[in-house]
Amino acid sequence: MNILHIDTSAKKPEQSNSRMLGKLFLQQLNNQGITPDIDYLDLTKDIQPHLTAEFVKATYTNEQDRTDEMKATLKHSDAMCKRVMNAQMIVCGLPMYNWTIPATFKTFLDTIIRTGITYDLLPDGTTKGKLTDKHVIFITTRGADLRSGAFQHMDAMTPVLKACCNFLGITNAYFVDAQPLQFTNQQEREQALIRAKQELTALADSLSKLY
Ligand SMILES: Cc1cc2nc3c(=O)[nH]c(=O)nc-3n(C[C@H](O)[C@H](O)[C@H](O)COP(=O)(O)O)c2cc1C
């Protein structure tokens, strides 16, 4: 089984909760007898390029009509899409930054949302996502507690992830949200981590039965 494991926390790795929780989830899978091949992608080191005019032109040109220059422009994205399509499971560690996903993850999404590879454009103009067979686990960390209260309406992270899942045909998406981890007292932080670890353990337990 192949897992694409993505980290995005800009903190030093040993100080990052999302990185720690991602590792813990993989360890829990191991404990359940799953020994996957891990394709690791650290988006703070392997930063994806922003969209360019050349990329947009190339990606919307039919494959058979692409020039060598267009093919070269898409080469990196092609390779990244291949990594996504090769994975049965995708584990994403995502801290909330300014109420939404890290910008590095947005450029990753821009890199891998590709007509004809990760989704199909159908003759009637509708689209069909091609990631239907994948389990995608979003491990999010937040400084504040957005489950209720004053900040609840500020969550611009979950909606964008759900929209992308919907577009890409990901029906098996799981969210483990560790919060509050910063703007609160020590006891609440600890409780938030305990909750997240319990959820990840239960998720590893149930998903391991499918592999
Ligand atoms: C630049 C920056 C922006 C942040 N913005 C938010 C935010 O909008 N809402 C929030 O709840 N937490 C915010 N946080 C707090 C982080 O989401 C929180 O500390 C999280 O646990 C970091 O995950 P990590 O330990 O994996 O790096 C922000 C942190 C940083 C560094």
Side-chain angles (χ1 to χ4, degrees):
M1 169 207 190
N2 297 325
I3 295 183
L4 176 60
H5 178 200
I6 302 174
D7 269 324
T8 60
S9 169
K11 277 200 236 160
K12 285 185 181 162
E14 64 277 14
Q15 293 171 357
S16 160
N17 283 308
S18 57
R19 286 174 189 263
M20 177 273 291
L21 292 169
K23 276 202 199 100
L24 178 126
F25 177 69
L26 295 178
Q27 184 57 53
Q28 298 288 0
L29 285 178
N30 271 179
N31 295 349
Q32 297 296 332
I34 305 283
T35 50
D37 287 328
I38 309 279
D39 178 11
Y40 185 62
L41 176 60
D42 184 339
L43 288 174
T44 67
K45 295 201 174 85
D46 200 344
I47 293 176
Q48 306 303 297
H50 284 286
L51 297 177
T52 60
E54 290 75 23
F55 181 93
V56 173
K57 177 101 180 119
T59 193
Y60 290 125
T61 299
N62 285 333
E63 200 174 346
Q64 65 275 14
D65 300 328
R66 285 181 193 145
T67 62
D68 287 346
E69 202 180 336
M70 285 175 175
K71 286 178 192 160
T73 299
L74 295 175
K75 203 171 163 197
H76 171 81
S77 163
D78 287 342
M80 205 50 79
C81 288
K82 199 168 176 193
R83 290 173 72 171
V84 168
M85 296 311 281
N86 274 346
Q88 277 88 53
M89 187 184 283
I90 304 175
V91 179
C92 309
L94 300 174
M96 174 176 274
Y97 289 152
N98 301 312
W99 310 110
T100 190
I101 54 174
T104 50
F105 196 70
K106 178 61 169 67
T107 53
F108 169 77
L109 292 172
D110 291 340
T111 302
I112 62 101
I113 299 183
R114 286 277 308 279
T115 321
I117 306 181
T118 52
Y119 75 93
D120 280 333
L121 188 54
L122 304 178
D124 66 359
T126 59
T127 60
K128 192 171 181 334
K130 297 176 80 166
L131 273 60
T132 46
D133 60 338
K134 303 188 192 308
H135 292 104
V136 181
I137 294 93
F138 296 109
I139 303 171
T140 77
T141 48
R142 292 142 204 239
D145 192 343
L146 277 70
R147 289 173 300 162
S148 60
F151 294 122
Q152 194 176 19
H153 70 289
M154 302 283 277
D155 182 3
M157 187 176 203
T158 314
V160 74
L161 293 172
K162 285 189 173 167
C164 288
C165 285
N166 197 25
F167 188 74
L168 291 170
I170 300 167
T171 49
N172 297 308
Y174 306 87
F175 290 81
V176 173
D177 303 321
Q179 58 187 334
L181 292 181
Q182 194 175 335
F183 312 120
T184 186
N185 58 47
Q186 188 59 26
Q187 194 189 356
E188 286 205 358
R189 283 181 210 167
E190 283 167 12
Q191 288 300 320
L193 283 179
I194 289 169
R195 276 195 304 275
K197 287 176 184 176
Q198 284 171 344
E199 284 177 42
L200 288 169
T201 303
L203 188 58
D205 186 23
S206 65
L207 289 179
S208 65
K209 295 185 172 68
L210 305 176
Y211 288 91

